[in-house]
Amino acid sequence: MTNTWMDIKNANVILVMGGNAAEAHPVGFKWVIEAKANNKAKLIVVDPRFNRTASVADFYAPIRAGTDIAFLSGVIRYLLEHDAIQHEYVKAYTNAGFIVREDFGFDEGLFTGYDEKTHQYDKSTWQYETDARGFAKVDETLQHPRCVLNLLKQHVSRYTVDTVCDITGTPKDLYLKVCEAIASTAVPNRTLTSLYALGWTQHSIGSQNIRTLAILQLLLGNIGMPGGGVNALRGHSNIQGLTDLGLLSELLPGYLNLARDEEATRAAYLEKRTPKPLRPGQVNFWSNYPKFHTSLMKAWYGQAATPDNDFGYDWLPKIDQLYDGLRVFDLMEQGRMTGYFCQGFNPLASFPNKGKIVSALSRLKFLVVMDPLATETSEFWQDHGEYNDVKPEDIQTEVFRLPTTCFAEEEGALVNSSRWLQWHWKGAEPPGECRTDIDIMAELFLKMRELYRQAGGAFPDPILNLHWPYRIPEAPAANELAKEYNGYALADIPDPKEPGRVLVKAGKQLSSFAQLRDDGSTACGTWIFCGSWTEDGNQMARRDPSDPTGLGIAPGWAWAWPLNRRILYNRASCDPSGKPWDEKRKLIEWDGSKWTGLDVPDFKADAGPDSGVSPFIMTDEGVARLFARHLMAEGPFPEHYEPFESPLGANPLHAKVISNPAARVFANDKAMLGDREEFPYVATTYRLTEHFHFWTKHSRINAPLQPEQFVEIGEELARELGIANGEKVAVRSKRGAIKAVALVTKRIKALKVAGQTVHQIGIPIHWGFTGATRKGYIANTLTPFLGDANTQTPEFKAFLVNVEKDLSELMPHTHKPGEGHEERRRPNGTTRATEKTSWLVRILKGRTEV
Ligand SMILES: Nc1nc2c(c(=O)[nH]1)N[C@H]1C(S)=C(S)[C@@H](COP(=O)(O)OP(=O)(O)OC[C@H]3O[C@@H](n4cnc5c(=O)[nH]c(N)nc54)[C@H](O)[C@@H]3O)O[C@H]1N2
Ligand SMILES: Nc1nc2c(c(=O)[nH]1)N[C@H]1C(S)=C(S)[C@@H](COP(=O)(O)OP(=O)(O)OC[C@H]3O[C@@H](n4cnc5c(=O)[nH]c(N)nc54)[C@H](O)[C@@H]3O)O[C@H]1N2
Ligand SMILES: [Mo]
């Protein structure tokens, strides 16, 4: 979230689109109710289904799954046409006036630079015109035909109300009501907040859904404002922490990233990540990158990281390509992976095209599952009849299960959607042989280090040099790790402003990332967490709920990254002269010599209105980007592309390009896409309050609340197909079929789209063949194996199915392993599957045939 949960209460209009907050975030959703009760806020829900959030909305608009870019681009056109934009904000705080290169263009669905062979863009034209000094040219009058605002106007001009409603299926009167409500927040004293989650991200155009909303919020002047923002409601309780700590193939902690193959030296790597400002006098915060990276290497490698060895630069992998989940399972299926560690992840149930996942896991030599439960993944090799129709004797994979604890059985911090690091304490002792994930990983590491020490190896340095300062090496404590993430001084840090004065003494905890150095004198595991555990103690454990301004800031409750700032970009909540746009929403202000206020200013504390520094200090241009330059895979402006399985089989906007031309699709999976003749209905998948994914079905309290797989079918379609409520039906896609109980509902209506009727089917995801619910099929038997071009998030939310009453010919999954995939066998030539519920020691003793 750019803002925080509590801040939602400050909004005048709340748009829930691409999420179902009342169902999936029921506790945080109370702030929406507060806004309605105390602020007379209007709640708008745009969703294919009239869902639980819609049931308390002021208006609900139905939409065809996968068409949100068209919907929102039409709203942007409406705002520009009705002059409902906050002019002063747009002019001063966005790149509206920046002039784009003459050779940039967009034609028939493609931006300039597309390569048909690689399905990728050469983005060199997606840039500004620059002057002799390398600064971007800007037309303050916004008249230049190639300034960003005019290009945006031109780009969205095709999204007329009629075109949009024809693509989305949204009735015109409802669409116009949504436009009007959103436009009402263009004034400085009204804000729109937007709450989204997977209804936007799980598409082949997921990232651009969010970009479109960001553009809209900038035009309305709603970024940085209390009650505004672009607010991602995150998933698992610590999934925000997962990205913060860099647990994606290309990331390092704090959104730093791994070197690419071609970046042979640390100097080349750092230079690329330390951009020069695009405007005179602008501060670009990423100029501090070398300090963050060097401090990270000191935290990881301690004394072994020295200037002479480039602080261990070569010990970290350099990547040739992304190794995201889709790529990993594709490589696995090709037989190009030996082993896989599955930690807190149940891909057989949660990843697309279950048939492909079974086929992939079957080609491993070993699979390690670290989980408190026996999951579908750990049992993938077992024959569960129609629900998991495999022959164990054909599967070579050896499976190890390492039982772990759950969050309540250990202490530590969880990061929530508001970026708050909240410390929690152990609530119970773990049962049986369970051990914490930290202990398991620590023991594995120590064993590997011992093996490297004894036997050497191709490249022992990254393992042998790792700094391991924990009191009990087999069990690093949560507080030791938290202090390391925060960072500490390795030598006295001199105060740059006062010669002779020491800012931080050697050995002391740091209190701000401004204290980090690139000479090796500081260590810090995650620069954005710097300040969370200072010499004053554990800031994450603070529990002071007081909210002095009533704006929901509560600075003494836990700790928010960065620097306990609650609302990001809050400099933009003031006008260029430093006065709040709205006195009632005063977060910070310029007092004549410095920025003051209740929130921590997102700016240099002493850079005044005349300093020439613009508010968005994380960008090279100092302003927010309506035009994203080279940063998105499929274009600097969002464009409507159809889902890969489209009920239209065409894109009403351009004949040649139907779906996202840069999306993540592997050759083998293209053959597994269905067409509208065979699969006429749009399907989307989602969750229910009563279950948490695939684990609460193991709980005897949750299981009976939603005991078995059902699918939601609108009344009109049910009538057409002769399906009665409660009857069992088969739902089939190109990838396979599932059986489910039909729930016939008024809550999904047929839509009129491009002259045809489109029916949508709703498929909740929570069942499988383990646990206390009725045994069932896995919903992801149906979903396509392809994803977003930027994040590689799978397209779980828009695909094609058929619904059948005849259950006799059900083929659980039709996936055939791609051609050219080599069969691999265990070295001894046997094929077998074995259940290894035994303990980690088995691996450590080296008894596997790895
Ligand atoms: N009880 C419970 N809570 C949970 C979870 C859980 O399993 N159980 N999971 C957690 C996790 S990990 C996550 S990521 C979040 C997810 O939170 P949400 O994203 O809110 O959850 P979903 O149910 O996947 O989808 C939300 C809505 O998106 C709609 N939708 C589908 N396609 C489209 C589309 O193309 N456009 C629009 N506008 N809407 C669409 C669906 O109809 C659905 O109502 O929930 C978290 N909270
Ligand atoms: N079709 C479709 N598919 C989807 C989605 C969708 O909307 N539609 N949503 C996607 C989303 S957003 C998500 S987040 C994924 C979820 O997919 P997964 O993360 O694979 O699903 P979970 O059931 O949450 O699995 C997490 C596992 O972690 C275990 N666990 C719990 N605590 C601990 C712990 O402390 N340590 C360890 N090691 N394990 C622990 C649980 O027992 C559980 O088995 O599903 C995705 N798949
Ligand atoms: Mo999630």
Side-chain angles (χ1 to χ4, degrees):
M1 294 171 106
T2 55
N3 293 35
T4 78
W5 280 111
M6 284 148 75
D7 173 68
I8 296 168
K9 70 176 178 176
N10 300 317
N12 303 96
V13 179
I14 299 161
L15 175 68
V16 178
M17 181 169 178
N20 183 6
E23 181 105 29
H25 301 87
V27 178
F29 191 70
K30 75 177 171 201
W31 298 106
V32 175
I33 302 296
E34 293 262 327
K36 277 170 67 80
N38 301 332
N39 216 15
K40 295 201 176 59
K42 291 272 176 280
L43 171 62
I44 306 172
V45 172
V46 183
D47 199 288
R49 306 176 301 132
F50 183 88
N51 58 20
R52 277 179 168 158
T53 310
S55 72
V56 291
D58 294 274
F59 13 95
Y60 160 72
I63 185 172
R64 171 166 68 98
T67 64
D68 298 64
I69 290 176
F71 191 104
L72 293 173
S73 297
V75 180
I76 291 174
R77 182 182 193 272
Y78 178 98
L79 298 181
L80 292 167
E81 203 171 55
H82 292 79
D83 198 26
I85 66 172
Q86 199 187 318
H87 291 277
E88 209 182 339
Y89 185 107
V90 170
K91 208 167 133 182
Y93 296 167
T94 76
N95 63 358
F98 283 53
I99 297 168
V100 174
R101 277 169 59 146
E102 200 167 0
D103 50 3
F104 165 77
F106 175 79
D107 188 32
E108 282 299 309
L110 290 175
F111 293 90
T112 37
Y114 188 63
D115 181 337
E116 304 269 353
K117 275 207 201 82
T118 59
H119 300 285
Q120 280 177 354
Y121 279 101
D122 168 352
K123 304 173 186 170
S124 49
T125 61
W126 308 358
Q127 293 292 355
Y128 309 127
E129 264 185 14
T130 48
D131 64 18
R133 294 170 302 167
F135 292 130
K137 290 189 190 164
V138 177
D139 174 18
E140 305 276 354
T141 68
L142 306 180
Q143 296 304 312
H144 194 287
R146 279 197 329 280
C147 80
V148 165
L149 191 68
N150 289 330
L151 289 182
L152 176 66
K153 271 185 192 157
Q154 192 188 324
H155 188 76
V156 299
S157 64
R158 295 164 297 140
Y159 294 88
T160 61
V161 175
D162 286 328
T163 304
V164 168
C165 293
D166 205 40
I167 294 173
T168 60
T170 308
K172 213 163 140 178
D173 55 330
L174 286 176
Y175 184 68
L176 286 169
K177 271 178 87 169
V178 174
C179 291
E180 262 170 53
I182 292 176
S184 78
T185 67
V187 287
N189 64 350
R190 281 175 64 81
T191 53
L192 166 79
T193 188
S194 145
L195 312 179
Y196 75 89
L198 306 179
W200 272 358
T201 58
Q202 293 177 337
H203 291 282
S204 48
I205 36 83
S207 310
Q208 293 282 13
N209 279 327
I210 297 139
R211 273 281 306 151
T212 323
L213 192 265
I215 293 171
L216 189 134
Q217 284 289 60
L218 286 167
L219 293 175
L220 294 166
N222 282 332
I223 300 286
M225 292 290 286
V230 174
N231 293 307
L233 308 186
R234 309 284 326 244
H236 288 95
S237 70
N238 200 23
I239 202 71
Q240 180 67 48
L242 177 142
T243 35
D244 296 345
L245 292 178
L247 298 184
L248 295 171
S249 72
E250 80 283 21
L251 286 187
L252 289 170
Y255 304 93
L256 309 182
N257 49 38
L258 278 177
R260 290 273 166 173
D261 253 357
E262 63 275 13
E263 290 164 336
T265 65
R266 176 172 182 263
Y269 165 80
L270 290 179
E271 162 145 5
K272 216 164 172 190
R273 287 156 184 77
T274 317
K276 302 198 179 31
L278 276 169
R279 296 292 295 156
Q282 186 55 43
V283 175
N284 180 331
F285 199 76
W286 284 114
S287 60
N288 294 304
Y289 196 102
K291 298 175 189 167
F292 307 153
H293 190 259
T294 310
S295 302
L296 173 70
M297 297 306 280
K298 288 301 288 181
W300 284 4
Y301 289 110
Q303 288 185 348
T306 65
D308 290 341
N309 62 19
D310 263 352
F311 295 103
Y313 177 69
D314 287 325
W315 298 338
L316 294 189
K318 298 184 182 64
I319 51 172
D320 54 344
Q321 58 181 4
L322 296 185
Y323 289 92
D324 55 280
L326 290 175
R327 167 104 62 203
V328 163
F329 282 98
D330 194 60
L331 288 172
M332 201 184 287
E333 202 200 12
Q334 294 174 39
R336 291 168 67 192
M337 279 175 71
T338 305
Y340 190 61
F341 253 80
C342 220
Q343 182 183 9
F345 182 28
N346 185 3
L348 200 79
S350 65
F351 233 53
N353 190 356
K354 183 211 171 211
K356 175 155 173 151
I357 306 299
V358 172
S359 148
L361 292 172
S362 306
R363 285 186 154 67
L364 290 170
K365 281 193 195 152
F366 72 95
L367 169 68
V368 182
V369 180
M370 290 171 64
D371 203 289
L373 300 166
T375 64
E376 276 72 14
T377 301
S378 71
E379 319 302 291
F380 85 93
W381 53 272
Q382 290 175 356
D383 180 5
H384 288 264
E386 60 182 313
Y387 306 115
N388 196 50
D389 188 14
V390 298
K391 292 199 186 73
E393 60 276 17
D394 286 349
I395 297 173
Q396 61 174 328
T397 315
E398 189 162 15
V399 181
F400 298 88
R401 283 177 43 207
L402 309 183
T404 66
T405 52
C406 269
F407 67 96
E409 294 153 358
E410 60 191 5
E411 69 166 344
L414 299 168
V415 191
N416 74 1
S417 306
S418 299
R419 295 166 282 103
W420 296 358
L421 282 72
Q422 302 193 92
W423 198 260
H424 69 93
W425 291 266
K426 186 174 181 172
E429 286 305 320
E433 284 188 294
C434 295
R435 298 176 60 184
T436 67
D437 292 81
I438 294 176
D439 291 5
I440 295 173
M441 298 312 281
E443 206 166 314
L444 271 174
F445 163 70
L446 293 171
K447 185 68 196 177
M448 269 168 61
R449 190 174 66 178
E450 195 184 308
L451 288 172
Y452 269 110
R453 273 190 187 140
Q454 285 165 2
F459 186 37
D461 307 34
I463 303 286
L464 295 186
N465 287 322
L466 202 67
H467 189 45
W468 204 259
Y470 314 108
R471 201 171 57 83
I472 306 170
E474 305 76 39
N479 60 352
E480 290 177 304
L481 295 167
K483 285 177 169 172
E484 179 182 312
Y485 286 137
N486 177 85
Y488 45 89
L490 293 163
D492 285 354
I493 309 295
D495 187 342
K497 289 196 189 120
E498 221 183 296
R501 187 175 167 267
V502 171
L503 199 61
V504 190
K505 281 222 172 74
K508 298 287 183 201
Q509 289 294 110
L510 304 174
S511 58
S512 159
F513 49 69
Q515 297 161 346
L516 295 174
R517 297 290 179 264
D518 61 5
D519 59 2
S521 60
T522 54
C524 175
T526 306
W527 70 274
I528 54 174
F529 291 175
C530 196
S532 61
W533 196 311
T534 64
E535 285 299 312
D536 293 332
N538 182 353
Q539 304 301 301
M540 303 169 275
R542 297 180 309 157
R543 288 295 183 269
D544 175 1
S546 43
D547 174 17
T549 58
L551 283 175
I553 295 299
W557 182 276
W559 187 85
W561 71 257
L563 298 177
N564 206 28
R565 180 173 301 132
R566 303 294 160 137
I567 297 191
L568 297 181
Y569 314 117
N570 59 27
R571 164 66 181 90
S573 69
C574 294
D575 66 17
S577 80
K579 225 170 86 303
W581 293 110
D582 178 6
E583 265 305 310
K584 289 211 296 284
R585 296 173 206 261
K586 181 153 79 183
L587 281 176
I588 60 163
E589 68 185 326
W590 178 251
D591 74 358
S593 59
K594 61 181 181 316
W595 290 95
T596 60
L598 207 74
D599 202 0
V600 179
D602 196 345
F603 213 55
K604 273 181 81 181
D606 57 354
D610 303 325
S611 64
V613 184
S614 297
F616 289 84
I617 56 173
M618 304 302 284
T619 67
D620 314 352
E621 48 274 74
V623 291
R625 301 175 179 122
L626 302 171
F627 175 88
R629 292 167 54 212
H630 58 288
L631 295 156
M632 304 292 287
E634 61 285 88
F637 289 131
E639 174 66 3
H640 166 73
Y641 296 112
E642 285 286 312
F644 270 77
E645 292 187 331
S646 159
L648 311 181
N651 188 326
L653 292 173
H654 19 75
K656 201 173 118 200
V657 185
I658 300 174
S659 301
N660 183 349
R664 164 56 66 81
V665 195
F666 297 107
N668 283 328
D669 300 295
K670 281 206 184 126
M672 299 306 291
L673 290 173
D675 60 39
R676 62 189 186 136
E677 278 76 37
E678 202 179 347
F679 303 101
Y681 310 121
V682 173
T684 193
T685 57
Y686 47 88
R687 46 209 20 79
L688 307 169
T689 305
E690 293 82 352
H691 278 303
F692 199 92
H693 301 152
F694 316 101
W695 29 325
T696 54
K697 66 176 152 60
H698 292 262
S699 151
R700 296 209 180 102
I701 299 172
N702 299 67
L705 296 176
Q706 292 288 3
E708 74 181 307
Q709 177 80 56
F710 64 90
V711 293
E712 298 192 70
I713 300 177
E715 282 179 343
E716 284 171 79
L717 179 61
R719 216 175 299 125
E720 234 174 68
L721 298 177
I723 292 168
N725 190 31
E727 191 179 341
K728 268 247 160 115
V729 293
V731 180
R732 182 187 303 281
S733 79
K734 184 79 175 179
R735 276 76 52 194
I738 67 166
K739 272 187 218 165
V741 174
L743 190 155
V744 177
T745 176
K746 291 187 191 335
R747 292 178 287 106
I748 303 182
K749 296 263 190 273
L751 300 177
K752 272 267 166 290
V753 179
Q756 69 185 68
T757 301
V758 170
H759 294 285
Q760 307 197 80
I761 313 283
I763 309 176
I765 57 173
H766 299 291
W767 299 272
F769 54 83
T770 70
T773 47
R774 291 196 188 126
K775 269 198 182 192
Y777 289 84
I778 285 172
N780 274 320
T781 305
L782 302 171
T783 46
F785 195 89
L786 59 94
D788 177 82
N790 302 278
T791 61
Q792 293 76 42
T793 300
E795 189 148 72
F796 288 127
K797 291 275 192 272
F799 54 95
L800 293 180
V801 296
N802 199 359
V803 180
E804 298 159 9
K805 280 177 61 125
D806 177 6
L807 305 179
S808 58
E809 295 210 13
L810 207 71
M811 296 224 309
H813 40 79
T814 50
H815 181 85
K816 300 275 178 311
E819 276 168 24
H821 291 170
E822 262 176 53
E823 277 292 325
R824 294 204 331 170
R825 288 281 174 258
R826 296 160 65 83
N828 61 11
T830 61
T831 59
R832 70 188 166 105
T834 35
E835 183 177 19
K836 294 287 191 289
T837 50
S838 55
W839 183 225
L840 168 67
V841 189
R842 281 189 49 84
I843 300 187
L844 298 184
K845 285 186 180 153
R847 284 172 56 193
T848 61
E849 300 159 41
V850 176

